[in-house]
Amino acid sequence: MEAENGNMPTINIPLFVKNMGHKILHFILNLEEDQAIEVCEGRYELDADRAEILNSFIGICRQLRMQGIDQGDVDFSVFHTLPQILQDERHIFNVWHENLGGGKAEPLSEDPLVKSASKIALEIYPLFLIKLPSNSHLFINTFSHLSSLTYKLEERGVLIDAIMNDVSMSKLFTNVGENDMDTHCQYMASSGRGGGIQLAVFPDTLVANAYELMKLRGEISQQALLSAVEETIQMLREIGEGNQIEVPAFVGFHNVGFDDFSEMDIESGKLRAYNDEILSLLPNEARPSTLGGENKVLGLLLEYKYPYKVKLGPQDDNNRWPPELEQARKQLETAKENLSFTLALAIDRSPPIGITQAWTLAFDPLSQGTSMSWSLRARSPMPHYLLKHNETEAVIYWSKLVNESNDEKIRLAIRRILSSINERMNPIDGFIDAIIAWENLFGGNAELSYRISVSIAKLLAEAQEERLEIQSKIVKFYTERSKIVHGVKEITHDVAIQKRDECLKIALEVVKKLYEDHHELLIDADRSKKLALL
């Protein structure tokens, strides 16, 4: 919508309001996002009604800051008091938005539980748009400042009744007391997290977790929040029934980003580009770098389905889970490996492209404040890379082939290849790992270099002369590796990079041949003998 321009002067926005971000102004003033950005920058001329509301917002924030100075914590005063400002049982931000012509969003579902939770989520929604201070990390105590609003809403009582009247959701609370404070349950999740849930704070947990799920997927809107609320409730119902479910798990990677597109589906899940919403959830140590001049983020994230089950009620020491749940972490590790391996196979570059895992987060619908782990050393020995849209077909192809193949017999080789690509900062170590991958593929106890060189030559060439040339090259690499390992020879850093890259290129070409042309050899421990007989 266009704001009506009159003779009103632009308003000088104080820094403390700018720090809250333009999205809250976009909502309460019912402006387009680019107009809200211009308001923050003092470049947009508001009509009288919008100017009045903006001045009211600034005045409220300034007053709360003054109170905070007296109390010794400015941020606490602002962010914990703003949710309590209501008018006619509505938060003031929603009132302003609708007074300036903004529509009132309504729940999409007639399901009593979903509908009630959606009403609370929509009332809280504009408060989610405010950027929290950088020293208030969301995953430590997620949106606890918003509980003061939910407690003031009449809909909270409706939601609590809907929870306890719901056949599945009510089973989450094994101890039913006389009121919501006395109604609770102990639980232990297969993810390793556990604790207590209390009906009195459960509405806050439900809505805050739905918001986090929405934000991790990178879309911030009232409709996206409603979808996340419904998805979260369905997970909780399944948990109440004692069923095993799949929850979204997110893994962030660095060193590879998207150039001209933002997401794609692969066999193991969905790949997404980082955006401002996701970045705001991460601690500084887990954030990817940006390519200077192009404003391209050198990172991507994988959304993966993670098996999850909960034991409700009193807990004992025998918290053993079914094998498929015990294997969940291993499966996630394999998904990470397969993504890195897929990219190395799909993109023809020397050196191959490498990704480093930066952080992992498994969504937990029962716990407020989703648990996240991150690496302090997410560095890659390989140059960065930006994936282009015309390369997605190759990525999808190799993702499908790798994920659907029984390649357990060559997993040691794959891990050595990935170690060389993603972990070995010293290129000499990377060179050695690449040749160990050859050994894992074709090694044996006798005449090792011969068996390896013949196998690789047979796979990579048809003509006799070309095979002899490749075999000779492989033997030289293998001999040089032995001299380096035993301290007989030293090589420079640049030479080591060259040798590492050549050996990795050979390893990846060989693996491609196995997957595409000799699929039966992936599970054959005698693949080198059978190749010699071709």
Side-chain angles (χ1 to χ4, degrees), residues 204-445:
D204 303 334
T205 300
L206 194 163
V207 174
N209 284 350
Y211 175 74
E212 283 181 359
L213 180 59
M214 173 187 70
K215 195 160 187 174
L216 280 162
R217 288 175 172 157
E219 181 184 355
I220 304 299
S221 71
Q222 291 170 313
Q223 298 309 314
L225 180 57
L226 294 179
S227 296
V229 166
E230 185 163 6
E231 182 179 355
T232 303
I233 287 174
Q234 295 309 323
M235 290 184 204
L236 292 168
R237 282 172 165 159
E238 291 292 326
I239 293 169
E241 292 294 341
N243 297 329
Q244 179 178 319
I245 64 172
E246 290 183 329
V247 297
F250 299 85
V251 185
F253 298 92
H254 292 180
N255 203 52
V256 173
F258 291 156
D259 185 21
D260 54 357
F261 66 108
S262 60
E263 65 178 40
M264 65 178 293
D265 291 310
I266 60 172
E267 198 67 21
S268 56
K270 183 181 286 289
L271 291 179
R272 287 192 176 88
Y274 280 90
N275 56 42
D276 291 342
E277 309 306 332
I278 297 166
L279 291 171
S280 70
L281 294 173
L282 303 178
N284 290 332
E285 309 94 282
R287 294 181 181 182
S289 57
T290 302
L291 191 60
E294 298 183 44
N295 198 30
K296 301 287 187 180
V297 177
L298 296 175
L300 51 82
L301 62 91
L302 168 69
E303 181 178 343
Y304 171 85
K305 293 180 179 179
Y306 191 81
Y308 177 95
K309 193 171 183 179
V310 169
K311 292 180 180 178
L312 299 167
Q315 303 296 309
D316 54 38
D317 295 331
N318 186 28
N319 277 322
R320 295 188 63 83
W321 300 97
E324 63 270 22
L325 290 171
E326 296 283 359
Q327 293 295 314
R329 289 186 180 86
K330 182 179 178 181
Q331 293 167 2
L332 180 56
E333 291 302 316
T334 300
K336 298 174 190 175
E337 282 183 2
N338 285 352
L339 173 58
S340 181
F341 194 45
T342 292
L343 294 176
L345 292 170
I347 308 303
D348 186 16
R349 188 189 78 167
S350 185
I353 69 173
I355 57 174
T356 55
Q357 180 187 335
W359 55 272
T360 304
L361 181 155
F363 179 72
D364 189 334
L366 277 178
S367 298
Q368 186 168 331
T370 308
S371 178
M372 177 188 188
S373 60
W374 64 88
S375 171
L376 297 178
R377 301 178 63 185
R379 298 171 57 209
S380 173
M382 297 298 170
H384 64 261
Y385 191 79
L386 290 174
L387 283 170
K388 295 175 175 57
H389 188 266
N390 61 12
E391 295 169 323
T392 57
E393 186 175 342
V395 173
I396 292 169
Y397 168 78
W398 279 106
S399 175
K400 183 176 178 63
L401 191 54
V402 169
N403 279 277
E404 291 184 351
S405 297
N406 181 359
D407 55 12
E408 191 61 33
K409 296 287 187 181
I410 67 166
R411 272 289 145 175
L412 285 176
I414 291 172
R415 289 179 184 130
R416 283 293 183 175
I417 290 171
L418 295 180
S419 173
S420 177
I421 293 173
N422 296 326
E423 299 174 17
R424 301 299 193 185
M425 300 306 295
N426 186 328
I428 294 177
D429 295 332
F431 168 50
I432 293 170
D433 264 354
I435 293 184
I436 292 176
W438 298 353
E439 292 179 348
N440 294 147
L441 288 168
F442 306 114
N445 293 327

Side-chain angles (χ1 to χ4, degrees), residues 452-503:
I452 292 171
S453 60
V454 167
S455 298
I456 292 176
K458 280 284 186 73
L459 279 173
L460 299 186
E462 294 291 335
Q464 185 74 9
E465 289 185 5
E466 192 177 354
R467 284 180 173 177
L468 288 172
E469 183 181 344
I470 291 173
Q471 184 191 7
S472 176
K473 181 192 293 186
I474 298 301
V475 170
K476 287 179 181 177
F477 276 132
Y478 197 84
T479 302
E480 195 153 17
R481 173 258 196 184
S482 297
K483 290 179 179 179
I484 292 170
V485 169
H486 294 99
V488 177
K489 181 177 181 180
E490 293 184 4
I491 57 176
T492 66
H493 183 84
D494 289 343
V495 170
I497 289 176
Q498 179 184 354
K499 292 183 181 299
R500 177 201 66 192
D501 294 349
E502 286 187 53
C503 292

Side-chain angles (χ1 to χ4, degrees), residues 133-244:
S134 58
N135 61 356
S136 176
H137 191 260
L138 299 188
F139 287 110
I140 295 174
N141 194 9
T142 309
F143 306 116
S144 60
H145 61 291
L146 299 182
S147 60
S148 58
L149 171 55
T150 57
Y151 272 94
K152 289 177 177 290
L153 298 176
E154 289 185 6
E155 191 64 38
R156 176 181 174 275
V158 177
L159 176 56
I160 286 177
D161 288 341
I163 290 171
M164 296 311 294
N165 290 328
D166 188 89
V167 174
S168 300
M169 188 78 88
S170 60
K171 293 178 182 178
L172 294 174
F173 301 94
T174 56
N175 297 300
V176 179
E178 294 182 0
N179 53 53
D180 56 8
M181 296 292 291
D182 295 333
T183 300
H184 57 87
C185 179
Q186 294 294 312
Y187 79 95
M188 177 58 68
S190 59
S191 61
R193 301 191 76 190
I197 52 176
Q198 186 182 45
L199 182 58
V201 298
F202 199 66
D204 303 334
T205 300
L206 194 163
V207 174
N209 284 350
Y211 175 74
E212 283 181 359
L213 180 59
M214 173 187 70
K215 195 160 187 174
L216 280 162
R217 288 175 172 157
E219 181 184 355
I220 304 299
S221 71
Q222 291 170 313
Q223 298 309 314
L225 180 57
L226 294 179
S227 296
V229 166
E230 185 163 6
E231 182 179 355
T232 303
I233 287 174
Q234 295 309 323
M235 290 184 204
L236 292 168
R237 282 172 165 159
E238 291 292 326
I239 293 169
E241 292 294 341
N243 297 329
Q244 179 178 319

